[in-house]
């Protein structure tokens, strides 16, 4: 039996239901669900995602029999809604919209008002007695169809519209007459023929199939592909196509259209939040062409237009009732679209509302408190990737500044950057060799889906038009970036790359600051401050800690970083890089003297001068993490990184050290390596120059003993880097233990310490059972392990990795998210081999993957004890570790 391909909804019944998102897409499944709930939804039908996948796989051919299925569904819609598609006396019009299983707002195409033709226009005028509305709808159809289906750029149509407004001496489309709209419809058709060589199709059936085909194809247009890539959405899911009877918000003063959220998507506050426009179509609200009105009195501010609650109080009450019904049914915040046609309310869409991280946390915690969801559901409702948004900086409350202008606070946070006016410039500036150009703020009249790459490259967005539900606002909240929208005082000139506010001109490259909390636009750079964890966030993190099994540590090299990480919930330090401590102005000369030493005696003399600095460093970081483990990695990078390279700098160094410049140049040249990352570094330095590791071990134990005497609980773990041969670890463990015994005996105290190694060479994973005979712990350095497993230089791979991902060779950058099949297999092997010899072996990860949610999920299943990441990713890791446990439980429970 052929599987059903077209699913009808309308008249209180639907073939589908809300759980069928994979087949009907999010929009189609929710339209069916709302219909089954008795909510007023214009009748229509959904063509399944399987049809789209068939179309892609068969090179653009639809399945046999689909046309007959669509014809039957059209007849069912006609029976429910009245009128006929293509009927010249009582015409019924359709919209055609995409519907991916995961919401992709604005990324794929839509065509409205299908079915208008020379014959049906006359019939609709007779039916509605509103000639202006009909010709307004007709010119919109011609423009949208020409762009989406025929591939004609919008500029020609925009120019004709602006010319007509100029001719009439008006600024708003609403001020154009019925005759003006009729003239524009005629001009638009001429423009279509001029630009395409084809007539605009006058056959409604041809229009419908052209739109269906275009919407299916729009799943592969660049902006949709970019959105999926940026949001980790699969390319092979296809899209459903939703064909729905048109209802009109632009039929006069008793009609309107709007977008709303069941809770505030920026803050999460439990209030009905949205915008609407009277006598308008939905595209007018989200496109930013007109600034919308608030939906209710609570949202209204001084100077705002009349709210829907005032404009149509009964309709508002009905909408508020539906809002409560939908949130209770879905037990999540909903993003809804509605149209009011001649005093009747119609619901066009509901979907899970995109929200800021702040809102996501508050909504999850409050819904759990209200008994709508369980605690584990609340934890799973917040995406670990999104949590990082909460950790962004905000405007320093003590900073003084002058506000240039104010718009709507569309997405919170702060953005400081140089002004650019095009998405292309934002992308090119971000890739520029000059780091001063990397931070930009994208300034636009309004953004569109084509701007997605530039928006991704920018620190934040500023628009002159649009509201809280505009494209810029929705995308900003999804990306976790700051956005100020609808700043109406901006006068943007793209030709000169400037904008004006009053008499002040701001040029491309000038610095501005956006305050996403207030909507303020500020000229120049304003100081920002770090965020703090409190309130709803702290509650959610406590819940996450109840579920997670992985420990979460931090990578920190200073007491300041350690304190920040501890504030974010770090349970220790998984990686303290000692080499970072050598670059201070007061100590770099001693490390250079050690490197340039002629013999061991000279090296030890220089190291003796470094010892107090190292001891002080370790005291500071051990005290900052008192009671928690601090894993200190001994010197790892090759020595050439610490010395100057130009002749002038070497001569200056020789003078400082009292050495012969020529001998110093020879020494510097001898340190150069063809491939330093595989050269004389890590434990190889400790084997060759044991006095270096002796000094570091002595500094660690002296610091630990000093603090222990003061009553501070210290737990140093000493990590030997780059071990590939078990004997390397055996020799260096003996060295560290010898120094430890000597120092502890001298101070009369015992220190609880452990010695282990980084597993970052593939061979170490292969012989992990032998390595484990000399180790108390393993810490996977997955940055280097990935580099050596793939043979990719992590410093240079960026030049080709993007192309590899685009071509499908790689799913993602393996330096950002762990390669489970290759690198992951080595990790699992090392864990199993290591624990077969040492069941008490403690195992963690300290590469950048320690803060990546997908990698953390792998670490949980691989049996690791902890992950370690940068301080600001600690909350991300805590939540991701909880998700790993809960996802595993859900799979087990079915």
């Amino acid at each position: 039996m052929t599987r059903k391909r077209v699913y009808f909804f309308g008249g209180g019944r639907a073939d589908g239901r809300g759980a069928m998102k994979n087949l009907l897409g999010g929009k189609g499944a929710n339209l069916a669900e709302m219909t089954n709930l008795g909510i007023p939804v214009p009748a229509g039908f959904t063509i399944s995602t399987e049809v789209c996948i068939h179309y892609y796989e068969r090179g653009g051919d639809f399945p046999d029999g689909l046309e007959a299925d669509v014809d039957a569904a059209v007849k069912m819609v006609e029976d429910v809604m009245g009128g006929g598609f293509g009927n010249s006396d009582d015409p019924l019009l359709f919209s055609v919209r995409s519907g991916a299983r995961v919401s992709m707002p604005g990324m794929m195409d839509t065509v409205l008002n299908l079915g208008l033709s020379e014959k049906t226009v006359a019939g609709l005028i007779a039916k509605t007695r509103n000639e202006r509305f009909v010709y307004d709808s007709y010119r919109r159809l011609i423009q949208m169809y020409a762009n989406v289906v025929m591939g004609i750029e919008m500029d020609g149509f925009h120019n004709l519209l602006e010319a007509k407004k100029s001719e009439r001496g008006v600024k708003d489309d609403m001020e154009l007459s019925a005759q003006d709209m009729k003239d524009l419809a005629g001009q638009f058709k001429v423009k279509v023929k001029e630009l395409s060589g084809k007539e605009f199709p006058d056959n409604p059936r041809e229009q419908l199939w052209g739109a269906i085909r275009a919407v299916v194809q729009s799943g592969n247009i660049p902006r949709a592909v970019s959105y999926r890539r940026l949001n980790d959405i699969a390319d092979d899911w296809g899209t459903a196509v939703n064909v729905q009877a048109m209802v009109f918000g632009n039929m006069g003063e008793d009609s309107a259209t709007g977008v709303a959220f069941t809770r505030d998507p920026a803050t999460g506050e439990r209030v009905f939040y949205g915008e609407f426009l009277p006598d308008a179509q939905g595209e007018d609200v989200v496109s930013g062409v007109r600034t919308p009105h608030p939906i209710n009195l609570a949202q209204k501010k001084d100077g705002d237009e009349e709210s829907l609650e005032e404009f149509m109080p009964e309709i508002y009450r009905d909408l508020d009732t539906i809002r409560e019904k939908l949130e209770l049914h879905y037990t999540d915040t909903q993003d809804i679209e509605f149209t009011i046609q001649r005093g009747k309310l119609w619901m066009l869409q509901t979907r899970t509302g995109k929200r800021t991280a702040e809102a996501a946390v508050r909504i999850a915690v409050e819904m759990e408190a209200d008994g709508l969801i369980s605690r584990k559901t609340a934890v799973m409702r917040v995406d670990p990737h999104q949590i990082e948004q909460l950790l962004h900086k905000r405007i320093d409350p003590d900073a003084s500044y002058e506000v240039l202008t104010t718009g709507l606070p569309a997405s919170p946070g702060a953005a400081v950057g140089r002004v650019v006016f095009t998405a292309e410039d934002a992308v090119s500036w971000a890739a520029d060799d000059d780091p001063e150009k990397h931070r930009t703020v994208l300034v636009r009249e309004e953004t569109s889906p084509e701007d997605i790459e530039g928006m991704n490259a920018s620190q934040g967005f500023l628009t002159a038009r649009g509201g809280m539900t505009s494209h810029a606002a929705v995308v900003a909240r999804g990306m976790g970036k700051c956005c100020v929208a609808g700043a109406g005082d901006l006068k943007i000139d793209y030709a000169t790359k400037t904008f004006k506010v009053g008499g002040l001109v701001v040029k491309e490259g000038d610095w501005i600051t956006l305050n996403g909390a207030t909507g303020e636009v500020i000229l120049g750079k304003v100081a920002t401050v770090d965020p703090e964890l409190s309130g709803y966030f702290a509650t959610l993190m406590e819940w996450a800690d109840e579920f997670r099994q992985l420990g979460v540590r931090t990578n920190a090299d200073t007491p300041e970083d350690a304190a920040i990480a501890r504030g974010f919930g770090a349970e220790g330090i998984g990686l303290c890089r000692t080499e970072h401590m050598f670059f201070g102005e007061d100590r770099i000369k001693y490390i250079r003297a050690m490197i340039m030493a002629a013999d061991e005696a000279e090296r030890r003399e220089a190291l003796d001068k470094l010892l107090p600095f190292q001891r002080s460093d370790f005291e500071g970081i051990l005290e900052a993490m008192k009671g928690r483990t601090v894993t200190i990695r001994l010197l790892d990078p090759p020595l050439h990184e610490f010395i100057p390279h130009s002749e002038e700098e070497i001569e200056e160094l020789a003078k400082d050290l009292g050495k012969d410049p020529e001998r110093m140049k020879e020494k510097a040249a001898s340190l150069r390596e063809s491939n330093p990352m595989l050269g004389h570094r890590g434990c190889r330095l400790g084997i060759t120059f044991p006095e270096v590791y002796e000094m570091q071990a002595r500094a660690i134990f002296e610091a630990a003993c000093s603090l222990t005497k003061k009553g501070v609980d210290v737990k140093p773990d000493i990590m030997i880097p780059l071990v590939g041969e078990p004997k390397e670890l055996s020799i260096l463990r003996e060295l560290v233990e010898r120094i430890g015994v000597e120092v502890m005996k001298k101070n009369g105290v015992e220190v609880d310490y452990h010695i282990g190694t980084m597993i970052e060479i593939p061979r170490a994973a292969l012989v992990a059972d032998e390595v484990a005979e000399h180790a108390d712990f393993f810490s996977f350095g997955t940055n280097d392990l990935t580099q050596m497993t793939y043979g990719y230089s992590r410093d240079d791979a960026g030049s080709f990795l993007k192309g590899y991902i685009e071509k499908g060779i790689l799913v993602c950058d393996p330096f950002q998210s762990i390669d489970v099949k290759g690198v992951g297999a080595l990790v699992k092997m090392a864990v199993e081999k290591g624990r077969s010899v040492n069941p008490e072996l403690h195992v963690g990860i300290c590469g950048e993957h320690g803060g990546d949610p997908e990698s953390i999920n792998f670490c949980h299943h691989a049996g690791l004890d902890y992950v370690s990441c940068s301080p600001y990713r600690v909350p991300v890791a805590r939540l991701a570790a909880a998700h790993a446990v809960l996802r595993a439980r859900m799979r087990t429970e079915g």
Side-chain angles (χ1 to χ4, degrees), residues 336 520 697 718 760:
I336 59 178
E520 294 170 333
I718 299 169
E760 49 194 327

Side-chain angles (χ1 to χ4, degrees), residues 94 132 193-194 303 373 380 429 435-436 443 601 640 820 829:
F94 281 128
R132 187 194 181 284
K193 180 67 182 293
E194 174 191 324
I373 59 176
M380 290 298 291
W429 281 48
E436 278 292 293
V443 180
H640 77 87
V820 173
M829 178 192 299

Side-chain angles (χ1 to χ4, degrees), residues 131 176 305 612 617 645 648 699 783 838 887:
E131 185 180 16
L176 294 175
E305 299 285 350
D617 292 332
H645 298 289
E648 293 79 8
N783 300 341
N838 180 1
R887 272 199 298 265

Side-chain angles (χ1 to χ4, degrees), residues 415-436:
V416 182
R418 293 178 180 270
V419 170
V420 293
F421 291 90
T422 69
E424 292 78 12
D425 284 342
V427 171
S428 66
W429 281 48
D432 196 278
D433 290 338
D434 181 1
E436 278 292 293

Side-chain angles (χ1 to χ4, degrees), residues 553-567:
R553 299 182 184 178
T554 190
N555 301 338
D557 310 326
T558 68
E560 293 76 20
D561 285 347
I564 290 170
R566 190 162 181 166

